[in-house]
Amino acid sequence: MTAADAVPMVFVHGTRFSAGQWSMQLAALRDEFPVVAVDLPGHGERSAQPWSLSTATEIIASAVDSLDRGPALVVGHSLGGYASLEFARRCPERLRGLILAGASASTRGLWSVPYRWVAGLVPRMPADRLARWNDRLLLRLYPREVVEATIRSGYAFHTLPAAWEEVLGRFDADAMRCVKAPVLILNGEKDTVFRAGETDFARAHPHARVELIPRARHLANFDDPDAFTDAVRRFARRLPAVN
């Protein structure tokens, strides 16, 4: 693959995080690919912006356009994965490939109950206490260099209720039928909740496959940054050329 052929990539973070979630992936991939990570509305540098899926898709579209390389590979984790599915539906001409990480569970029916409970609970807790707890948890589970950009960017607890209220009840495997590009469903092996529907999601798309990061959990790109990055790289290299 020549520099001119390199697939542009847009990374979309998960719940409460920001573009900093992808610091390890951006550092490892930027020498080969044009890459950028976005802050979704209500997160990171867009903390003051109200959440909406419509705005989220506009932000992803603007990031694709900013790379000025045509349709992009979009990599979305958790909340960012569902936002990326919505982007794929609304902006198919801007999508060259899609990676769903920790975002292959239906958000409808009984699956939504625990998330509605969490979304209702979070506003009742002081944000500074939640931030301290998150900092301690991340530093206990992962090396500092993996999570320091995430910690430095802060957390968007105030946006969580609105974001999940809109996502819950909206997505299931049928959403894959709107995706016109190849799909990689990239999950942590031990992420039993968010990979619960991965078989149905894969079956709903003619060019989708599942890959697991061994021993990884929901934050697979933190659990094994090298394996996650390698999966993204291999998928990008195999994407068809743009006509």
Side-chain angles (χ1 to χ4, degrees):
M1 179 181 294
T2 66
D5 297 329
V7 177
M9 299 182 185
V10 175
F11 287 81
V12 190
H13 62 80
T15 302
R16 79 188 184 279
F17 289 158
S18 67
Q21 177 181 348
W22 302 110
S23 60
M24 300 293 287
Q25 281 66 51
L26 298 187
L29 293 167
R30 63 168 54 104
D31 287 343
E32 182 177 355
F33 303 95
V35 293
V36 67
V38 302
D39 286 330
L40 291 174
H43 298 74
E45 294 184 357
R46 291 189 169 93
S47 179
Q49 187 174 19
W51 166 268
S52 77
L53 266 177
S54 178
T55 303
T57 60
E58 291 171 3
I59 288 169
I60 298 170
S62 293
V64 172
D65 292 346
S66 74
L67 294 173
D68 197 25
R69 300 290 291 273
L73 167 60
V74 177
V75 183
H77 174 259
S78 194
L79 173 66
Y82 296 112
S84 297
L85 273 172
E86 184 71 3
F87 168 78
R89 183 181 74 82
R90 296 190 185 202
C91 305
E93 74 286 353
R94 287 182 166 104
L95 188 69
R96 187 164 171 183
L98 175 65
I99 296 180
L100 295 178
S104 52
S106 173
T107 68
R108 294 181 172 175
L110 292 176
W111 284 106
S112 70
V113 173
Y115 304 104
R116 292 189 190 280
W117 180 80
V118 171
L121 179 64
V122 164
R124 303 177 190 177
M125 302 177 68
D128 58 344
R129 182 182 302 175
L130 288 170
R132 289 194 300 270
W133 181 82
N134 269 258
D135 288 351
R136 289 196 296 268
L137 179 65
L138 290 177
L139 290 170
R140 186 181 304 127
L141 293 175
Y142 308 109
R144 178 174 288 275
E145 64 268 20
V146 172
V147 297
E148 62 182 352
T150 294
I151 292 173
R152 187 169 58 248
S153 299
Y155 308 101
F157 298 112
H158 65 289
T159 301
L160 190 151
W164 280 102
E165 181 63 28
E166 189 173 14
V167 168
L168 293 174
R170 192 180 189 106
F171 295 98
D172 58 17
D174 281 345
M176 295 286 284
R177 305 185 192 281
C178 297
V179 182
K180 306 305 180 185
V183 180
L184 173 63
I185 298 172
L186 182 60
N187 288 325
E189 178 189 15
K190 295 184 177 181
D191 185 15
T192 54
V193 172
F194 281 92
R195 56 172 292 216
E198 66 185 22
T199 300
D200 292 334
F201 273 60
R203 286 175 177 167
H205 191 283
H207 303 291
R209 65 180 180 86
V210 176
E211 183 170 341
L212 300 181
I213 306 296
R215 299 174 297 281
R217 294 153 296 191
H218 186 53
L219 290 167
N221 74 302
F222 287 174
D223 283 312
D224 195 336
D226 291 341
F228 191 99
T229 301
D230 183 60
V232 173
R233 182 185 291 111
R234 285 186 282 105
F235 183 70
R237 288 174 175 172
R238 294 170 183 168
L239 287 174
V242 176
N243 294 327

